[in-house]
Structures are given as structure tokens and as C-alpha cells.
Amino acid sequence: MKDLFDSCDFGDLKLNSRIVRTGLWESQREPSGNFTPEIYDRYESIAASGVGLIITEVISLYPHDVFSKYTHTINFNRFVREAKDLTDLVHVYDVPIFAQLGFVQYNKRTEQNMKSENLSIDDIRKIQTDFIIAAQKIGYAGFDGIQIALGNNYFLSRFINPAFNSRNDKYGGNTLNRLRIVLEIIKVIKQNTSLHINCRLNAFDESSDGMTIDETIEIAKLLEKHGADSLQITRPRSPQFFTRNTENNPLIDATEKIIEEVDIPVILGGGARNQNKVNDLLNETNIDYISMQRPFVADPSFLVDWQIKGDGESFCQACNNCYWKKTSTCHLKPCSPEYYKNSE
């Protein structure tokens, strides 16, 4: 039987458990971009808790992106030095760590929030070059891998989506063409770094003529063929999609279908908060890895209690205040009678 605390392989990496901590954004940085003591403390708590893999909060490719004020940017001039301290700290616990990289808007001088069809070939080359340079910085900083944000509502998720990409050149039209911008990035990163490449990918969306599970499967197969080492499956409007009462997660069925079609590790994204349910899911499906984000916001060390109790449940109430208020802290935990009652 599978257990969430199994030691397991993840491509060429060794994991201490099947749980992947995934990030959203980093609001505890200093205004100048510096990593704060709170960030280092939180990552150490997560690494020491029994987690298998850590994926950072998103690191913005561009300093003036829509979310850059809530998170780090790769262009912070001390990023490599301070991130190296972070990865060294995580590696003390034999936990691999990936840097999540993405952006929401592409802005060029007076042209703001450009759409896919408005990008020139030079613009596409600029984006690709920026990703490749960022990947090299990520490698210098000691990360084990990079997660390319192709999911949720990040720019590249729209570029590869037929509902948003109306280009009629080699970067538009069929699935391969729409994905070409990413495949070319992956090729060059593979040639110039030793980073594990993970792609965060939407399983489906609600857009008319948008992403379906069949389209996503085709994209997943192309990503694998062209060098991606693993996938994380999510969807737009995540984590709002997951509530405390969610029992039937449609991502489970979608993730299983993707797993059947590729030979690289696939992570189920979001919605898990109960230890017994996680183990049931692992043993009732072909899913081997499950990611969590908000439970680690509520308590970075919750997996320690799970290992001790054997039937743990995260305090996280799925209220999404840590999302809507764009912070890295739980707004319920300090004042919750339930929290103090359970802590006795």
C-alpha cells in the first residue's frame, strides 16, 4: 500500500514523502525585495516537517508585472545570493526545491497587457531569452528545478490556450504551434542547465473553445517529448476553486487521465487537507504525488503532527483570506478557539 510518507523517486530526485508544497506568492519580503528572516524560518519549518518537495511562491519574471508587488522578482539584484541561502537551508533536510517562475502581463513601453496575437517575433524572443536567463540565475541559486507557470491565469497559460491565442503564424493555430514558445524555452534550458523542469498546467477551463482535458493531454505529451521532467496539474481560479466542503475534485479524474498518457511524474494540485483521505486517494488511484498550498500557510509544520497522530487534518478552513489579502499568513489561526482547543 502507498502512504503519503513513503520515500519515493521523482524522476532523478529522491523525495522523503509524496507531499509537494506548492506556492502562491510571497508577501513577507521587504519592499526592496530582500528575503526576510520570516521567509527563511518558514521554509525551514516546511523542509523539516516531512515534505517531499518544495515549490516556491511564484517568482515574477518582470519587476512591473501585476503580481510583482506581492512576490519576489528574478531581477532583484541580490536574488541569487539570498536565494542560495534559502536553498542551502532546505537542502540540510534532504528536500529538493524548485523555483516557480511566471508572469501575468507582458508590457512593452506604452503597450500594456499585450495579447498573444499582438506579440512580434522579437517580443517572443525577448520572453524566451528572459526565461532562459532567469533559469540560469535559478541554477546559480542552488535550486534543483524550475517550475514554468503554464497554468492558472499566467501569460503562458493564455498563450497556449486556443481561446486566447488567435495567431496565424508558427506560434498559433494547432497545439504544437501554440506550445512552441514553451518547447523552445525548455530546449535551451536543458542545454544550458541541469535543472529539473516542471510545468504547471491547467487540466481544463470554462472558456468557450478553451482547454479541454483532451487538449491538455496532447500538451502534456508534447511537453514530455520535448524535455519536461514532470507536471503539476491545476486549473484557473485555483485556489478559489477548492472549498472546505469539496468532496469530489474533478482534477483527480483529469490527473489520472494525464498519468495514463505520459511516463513522467504528475502531481495532483490542490484540495487535500485530511491525512486519511490523502492515503485513500493514493491507494484508490494511480496518483503518486499530491500538492498542498494553504495548509502550509495555516501551519508550516502540520506534517509533523500528521506523522505523530496518523489521522491528521489541517487547520486550514479554505477561507481564501490568505489568497484575497495576498499575504503568506493565515488570518484565522491566531484568534480561532478551535485552533487553541486542538493545540491543547
Side-chain angles (χ1 to χ4, degrees):
M1 292 182 62
K2 291 186 287 186
D3 184 85
L4 67 90
F5 290 112
D6 288 338
S7 296
C8 54
D9 294 330
F10 188 84
D12 292 334
L13 300 172
K14 302 291 185 182
L15 307 190
N16 297 324
S17 76
R18 300 180 185 275
I19 299 300
V20 177
R21 182 273 194 173
T22 191
L24 193 60
W25 43 57
E26 180 59 82
S27 62
Q28 291 180 311
R29 66 175 177 82
E30 293 180 356
S32 60
N34 297 58
F35 288 69
T36 62
E38 290 80 9
I39 293 173
Y40 290 110
D41 289 345
R42 186 172 71 252
Y43 272 86
E44 183 172 20
S45 296
I46 295 170
S49 71
V51 72
L53 167 67
I54 293 175
I55 301 174
T56 68
E57 283 89 353
V58 66
I59 298 166
S60 181
L61 188 62
Y62 296 117
H64 301 296
D65 190 28
V66 63
F67 283 137
S68 62
K69 64 182 178 180
Y70 303 113
T71 189
H72 292 296
T73 74
I74 199 71
N75 298 290
F76 166 50
N77 60 8
R78 285 188 286 180
F79 174 83
V80 171
R81 189 187 72 184
E82 296 191 6
K84 184 64 166 60
D85 291 337
L86 183 70
T87 59
D88 285 346
L89 184 62
V90 169
H91 288 153
V92 168
Y93 299 91
D94 295 322
V95 174
I97 179 169
F98 294 175
Q100 181 187 170
L101 184 69
F103 67 104
V104 177
Q105 297 178 348
Y106 183 72
N107 304 316
K108 183 175 69 174
R109 295 185 291 276
T110 60
E111 298 178 79
Q112 302 291 301
N113 198 14
M114 296 176 66
K115 296 181 179 179
S116 303
E117 59 266 27
N118 299 133
L119 266 61
S120 68
I121 296 299
D122 284 344
D123 294 328
I124 289 174
R125 295 290 176 261
K126 174 73 165 56
I127 291 170
Q128 292 175 319
T129 300
D130 292 339
F131 258 100
I132 293 159
I133 293 172
Q136 290 178 316
K137 290 183 180 180
I138 286 166
Y140 297 150
F143 287 96
D144 302 281
I146 180 174
Q147 181 179 81
I148 302 176
L150 306 181
N152 307 121
N153 195 39
Y154 288 102
F155 182 86
L156 290 179
S157 75
R158 302 194 302 276
F159 197 101
I160 68 175
N161 190 321
F164 295 95
N165 185 335
S166 60
R167 298 178 68 96
N168 56 14
D169 61 0
K170 68 177 183 178
Y171 291 98
N174 62 40
T175 305
L176 175 61
N177 282 354
R178 284 182 279 107
L179 195 61
R180 191 183 304 276
I181 185 175
V182 179
L183 302 180
E184 292 172 344
I185 291 171
I186 291 173
K187 179 180 178 180
V188 180
I189 292 176
K190 280 289 186 181
Q191 291 172 339
N192 291 278
T193 77
S194 59
L195 293 170
H196 179 114
I197 299 179
N198 174 275
C199 294
R200 184 181 179 107
L201 187 65
N202 288 334
F204 47 78
D205 60 39
E206 296 84 14
S207 303
S208 176
D209 301 321
M211 295 284 288
T212 65
I213 183 57
D214 290 337
E215 178 76 11
T216 300
I217 288 172
E218 186 175 355
I219 288 174
K221 292 164 71 173
L222 285 167
L223 288 170
E224 178 187 22
K225 179 180 178 181
H226 288 82
D229 297 296
S230 63
L231 304 172
Q232 182 182 11
I233 305 306
T234 184
R235 61 166 291 170
R237 298 186 62 77
S238 176
Q240 306 100 301
F241 166 72
F242 300 107
T243 68
R244 190 163 181 79
N245 297 319
T246 297
E247 294 294 333
N248 298 313
N249 179 354
L251 285 186
I252 295 173
D253 181 57
T255 301
E256 284 201 276
K257 290 179 179 178
I258 293 167
I259 290 171
E260 291 172 358
E261 298 293 336
V262 298
D263 292 321
I264 55 177
V266 180
I267 305 165
L268 169 67
R273 290 181 293 275
N274 179 285
Q275 184 174 359
N276 289 332
K277 290 182 179 180
V278 168
N279 279 326
D280 288 344
L281 177 63
L282 289 170
N283 286 286
E284 293 170 2
T285 70
N286 59 5
I287 294 169
D288 290 326
Y289 314 97
I290 296 175
S291 71
M292 300 181 184
Q293 187 264 328
R294 291 171 300 175
F296 284 104
V297 175
D299 181 1
S301 301
F302 77 93
L303 288 178
V304 174
D305 291 335
W306 283 25
Q307 292 187 70
I308 295 171
K309 295 177 181 178
D311 61 349
E313 183 166 358
S314 169
F315 167 77
C316 177
Q317 307 296 302
C319 67
N320 280 327
N321 278 299
C322 61
Y323 175 85
W324 293 117
K325 293 181 173 61
K326 297 182 176 62
T327 73
S328 302
T329 56
C330 178
H331 294 269
L332 294 181
K333 181 176 173 179
C335 58
S336 168
E338 180 183 351
Y339 170 73
Y340 289 108
K341 178 181 177 181
N342 291 340
S343 298
E344 293 175 354

